[in-house]
Amino acid sequence: MAYMKDDQRKKLAVDVTRNSKGATKYILITISVLFVFFMLILPLFSVIVNSLKEGLGFYLEAISTEYVLAALGVTILATVITVIVNTFFGIVASWALTKFTFKGKQFIATLIDIPFSISPVIAGLAYIMTFGRSGWAKPVVDWINDMLGTDIKIVFAIPGVVLATIFVTFPFISRELIPVLNAQGTDEEEAAALMGAKGWTIFKRITFPHIKWALVYGVILCTARALGEFGAVNALSKTRGETFTLPLEIDALYLAGSADSITASFAVSSILVIIAVIVLILRNIFEHKSKANREV
Amino acid sequence: MAKARKFRGGRVIPGFGLTFGITIAMLSILILIPLASVLFQSFRLSPSEFWGIISMPNVKHAFATSIGCAFIAAVINSIFGIMLAWVLVRYEFPCKRIMDGVIELPFCLPTAVAGITLSKMYSTKGEIGGPLFDWFGLRISYTHVGLVIALIFIGIPFVVRAIQPVLEKLDSQYEEAAYILGASRRKTFFKVIIPELRPALLTGFGLAFARGIGEYGSVIYISGNNEKEHTQVVSYIIMQKLNYLEYESATAIALIMLIISFILLLFINIIQIRQSRRTNNI
């Protein structure tokens, strides 16, 4: 099909499907729209409606209690650290996995993807087993505390919350970067290296412009997931008002069970829903930019 | 390309040692060593103790519930996933971009928020559950049906996003040929398009299934966690054991979950390697 350009062909395919009777098309579109509406859009409205059930005054009060503000602080702290660590890892790992050929590359790529497919609760459990009372790394942490005179706790404290959040969102950024870098190939970097450019210069001048939008896009997704992480953090954080994140606060309010506290939990949820919607919009903008960038 | 470089010996692009080292170090410290701790802790149990924990009725039921519901949800998601991807790639209609964007909502929405919202919506007094209960006497929240709905919510983007790019790139010449040769559109779809989509569909199915088995936040509210009605999921049981400080039981159950995840991950990766080989050869 070399005689037809890509977009021409696509158009023909669309025409073939289109010229046929419209009934199937409209049935499929209707079912899809209904599915998306009932499964995805209605829950969003439901959160907002439920959060405003007791009026705006109650809403504002509910989202500004001491517990919620403390949880917001912990959430932001954990998210910022997580995004920094995972961005660094994502760039380094995707460079190592796409610019070189070595044995076991696919295996490492699979290992990086582990957090995608395991239960977040297991992530929490893993850190308890490592740093908790019976964990083998507990003496190491104790030793460091003795040496430095500090009192660092990991499990059931902020560092545990941060570690759990990092674990769960670990592959997000490398996952976005690897396909872009694979598609780009290594020719340009090789040429630059042969002409004498140093590693950092190559990255900054050649690789980075290619991955810029994919990186932004990965960072946004990672932020969203870090803000909302629940299962792993739930295992590692037990003190309301101190180590609770927003999702844990929502959980606590919801399980308290009174009509007021349930409305309050929806009010706190609405903050995260608004963030999720903003993330979706940004993500769409950057996805289109990243695609356009790739095609150039 | 790769071979030529190997012949010359050494690599042209700098930074292999550094980036590879950092990747392995971070991967080990943050992911592999903590997971290995779970493995070693569970080795402290004798085989009979281990078996005793795994074969407790509530644990067995939880595994059956998690795997069964995740499977059903992944099947439903595969069907709707193909349809949504097809509609988004092949048809033009108003609000298409919004619909395309909304597909990813479950990735961005915190699972706990999704959980409490779905649970409320499908309860006997909720927006959807209310009418269903009043008219048909159906209960959705706190049953297996509710659990499956939460898992459909969580899993749908995996399938759509796996199929969409393949469908976009799908060479239409086979489709045109089939159509010109007189195959009906339905026949063209099932005999020409579906086989091409199969690897992507299996990947999406695998990802949705794996995510569903381990899902916690979005299912614990809607499932009701009733031991008698077998609506407890495995993640809930692990969390319950953690709260009671029964670490041995938690690690034993987690080990089985890890094994299941690894098998699924391996399966997904094999499909993806095969798929990329096939597309590279063309």
Side-chain angles (χ1 to χ4, degrees):
Chain A
M1 294 297 276
Y3 56 87
M4 255 198 250
K5 275 191 185 155
D6 228 31
D7 46 335
Q8 271 178 315
R9 247 194 290 159
K10 225 174 243 170
K11 197 168 172 291
L12 182 62
V14 171
D15 284 346
V16 168
T17 29
R18 223 188 245 166
N19 284 347
S20 47
K21 274 170 246 156
T24 327
K25 176 185 164 181
Y26 291 111
I27 293 170
L28 288 179
I29 291 180
T30 313
I31 299 174
S32 301
V33 169
L34 286 178
F35 180 86
V36 169
F37 178 76
F38 279 105
M39 287 305 297
L40 304 175
I41 296 177
L42 206 59
L44 287 187
F45 285 111
S46 173
V47 174
I48 305 295
V49 169
N50 277 313
S51 67
L52 291 170
K53 215 180 238 167
E54 310 276 327
L56 196 63
F58 182 88
Y59 177 86
L60 293 174
E61 215 169 281
I63 60 169
S64 57
T65 64
E66 222 170 277
Y67 282 144
V68 173
L69 293 178
L72 184 67
V74 175
T75 306
I76 290 172
L77 178 74
T79 303
V80 169
I81 298 176
T82 298
V83 169
I84 292 170
V85 170
N86 285 345
T87 306
F88 175 74
F89 174 80
I91 292 172
V92 170
S94 58
W95 176 276
L97 289 175
T98 55
K99 298 297 168 197
F100 310 101
T101 43
F102 54 91
K103 270 189 186 155
K105 189 162 146 174
Q106 189 59 42
F107 182 64
I108 292 175
T110 308
L111 290 181
I112 294 176
D113 279 349
I114 287 176
F116 267 139
S117 70
I118 73 167
S119 168
V121 178
I122 293 181
L125 172 73
Y127 283 113
I128 294 181
M129 289 299 121
T130 313
F131 297 107
R133 211 181 303 146
S134 59
W136 60 269
K138 179 85 165 72
V140 179
V141 178
D142 286 344
W143 180 76
I144 292 172
N145 279 338
D146 277 347
M147 288 283 288
L148 304 172
T150 49
D151 185 29
I152 301 167
K153 278 190 207 133
I154 296 196
V155 172
F156 308 128
I158 303 285
V161 173
V162 175
L163 281 174
T165 315
I166 292 176
F167 185 106
V168 173
T169 53
F170 196 63
F172 274 91
I173 290 170
S174 62
R175 256 244 154 149
E176 294 297 332
L177 298 185
I178 287 172
V180 180
L181 286 176
N182 264 333
Q184 181 227 342
T186 56
D187 295 356
E188 293 169 47
E189 280 87 356
E190 271 166 25
L194 289 173
M195 285 190 261
K198 291 272 183 307
W200 176 243
T201 317
I202 299 177
F203 174 76
K204 204 173 65 182
R205 294 284 189 81
I206 294 171
T207 315
F208 185 72
H210 284 287
I211 60 169
K212 194 169 52 185
W213 295 118
L215 183 64
V216 174
Y217 173 69
V219 166
I220 291 172
L221 189 61
C222 184
T223 310
R225 286 304 286 269
L227 284 173
E229 179 40 38
F230 178 62
V233 178
N234 196 359
L236 283 167
S237 164
K238 299 292 172 202
T239 333
R240 195 173 175 188
E242 277 175 41
T243 62
F244 264 30
T245 59
L246 282 181
L248 292 176
E249 182 62 27
I250 292 169
D251 176 63
L253 286 167
Y254 188 78
L255 293 183
S258 72
D260 272 4
S261 74
I262 287 177
T263 307
S265 97
F266 278 105
V268 180
S269 296
S270 72
I271 305 174
L272 292 173
V273 166
I274 291 164
I275 295 174
V277 171
I278 294 171
V279 163
L280 268 184
I281 294 168
L282 288 176
R283 194 169 148 75
N284 268 285
I285 293 169
F286 289 119
E287 193 187 8
H288 281 265
K289 284 212 169 153
S290 139
K291 266 191 191 159
N293 212 18
R294 231 179 288 176
E295 275 158 19
V296 165
Chain B
M1 206 48 224
K3 267 187 189 156
R5 228 182 300 145
K6 261 182 204 159
F7 268 112
R8 269 188 269 128
R11 296 175 168 93
V12 179
I13 303 172
F16 176 70
L18 184 69
T19 54
F20 185 75
I22 294 175
T23 305
I24 296 296
M26 287 182 76
L27 183 63
S28 307
I29 294 170
L30 291 166
I31 310 290
L32 301 179
I33 293 175
L35 286 180
S37 315
V38 174
L39 195 68
F40 287 122
Q41 292 278 353
S42 60
F43 283 162
R44 287 188 187 171
L45 293 164
S46 71
S48 63
E49 281 175 316
F50 186 86
W51 184 246
I53 294 164
I54 295 307
S55 59
M56 280 191 300
N58 66 335
V59 177
K60 277 199 286 191
H61 291 313
F63 271 106
T65 305
S66 279
I67 295 172
C69 290
F71 186 82
I72 296 168
V75 169
I76 296 173
N77 270 335
S78 301
I79 297 165
F80 278 100
I82 292 180
M83 197 171 74
L84 285 169
W86 178 266
V87 164
L88 286 171
V89 172
R90 289 296 168 88
Y91 299 142
E92 291 299 327
F93 54 94
C95 304
K96 182 172 144 174
R97 262 198 74 184
I98 295 176
M99 192 161 131
D100 190 37
V102 170
I103 297 286
E104 264 166 49
L105 176 75
F107 281 163
C108 307
L109 196 68
T111 53
V113 175
I116 60 169
T117 311
L118 291 173
S119 162
K120 191 111 204 266
M121 271 173 68
Y122 287 96
S123 73
T124 50
K125 284 175 191 151
E127 288 94 333
I128 297 181
L132 286 177
F133 182 70
D134 294 343
W135 301 337
F136 308 109
L138 286 175
R139 282 172 191 276
I140 295 184
S141 279
Y142 320 122
T143 66
H144 287 110
V145 182
L147 226 160
V148 171
I149 287 178
L151 292 175
I152 293 174
F153 176 86
I154 285 299
I156 191 71
F158 288 100
V159 185
V160 178
R161 287 298 183 247
I163 295 176
Q164 221 174 354
V166 183
L167 200 57
E168 269 166 13
K169 278 189 209 134
L170 192 65
D171 198 332
S172 50
Q173 56 175 315
Y174 303 112
E175 216 178 306
E176 286 154 24
Y179 190 71
I180 291 163
L181 289 172
S184 67
R185 272 180 306 131
R186 185 195 286 176
K187 207 168 178 184
T188 310
F189 182 77
F190 284 106
K191 297 270 176 181
V192 178
I193 296 171
I194 289 288
E196 285 292 317
L197 293 181
R198 199 183 293 140
L201 181 61
L202 280 174
T203 306
F205 176 85
L207 287 171
F209 186 42
R211 176 75 200 266
I213 293 176
E215 186 53 33
Y216 179 69
S218 62
V219 296
I220 52 162
Y221 306 99
I222 200 167
S223 73
N225 304 317
N226 190 316
E227 200 183 321
K228 279 186 196 136
E229 286 172 25
H230 303 166
T231 51
Q232 292 178 332
V233 294
V234 180
S235 295
Y236 176 80
I237 300 265
I238 297 177
M239 190 62 88
Q240 204 183 28
K241 303 276 179 208
L242 278 179
N243 286 340
Y244 294 151
L245 304 180
E246 293 174 15
Y247 290 146
E248 290 84 10
S249 316
T251 46
I253 301 164
L255 186 67
I256 303 286
M257 287 284 271
L258 280 177
I259 293 170
I260 295 173
S261 311
F262 278 121
I263 293 171
L264 280 171
L265 207 59
L266 201 68
F267 161 80
I268 294 164
N269 266 280
I270 290 170
I271 296 168
Q272 277 177 338
I273 293 169
R274 278 202 187 156
Q275 191 183 4
S276 67
R277 246 181 230 153
R278 241 176 70 193
T279 45
N280 284 346
N281 286 344
I282 288 168

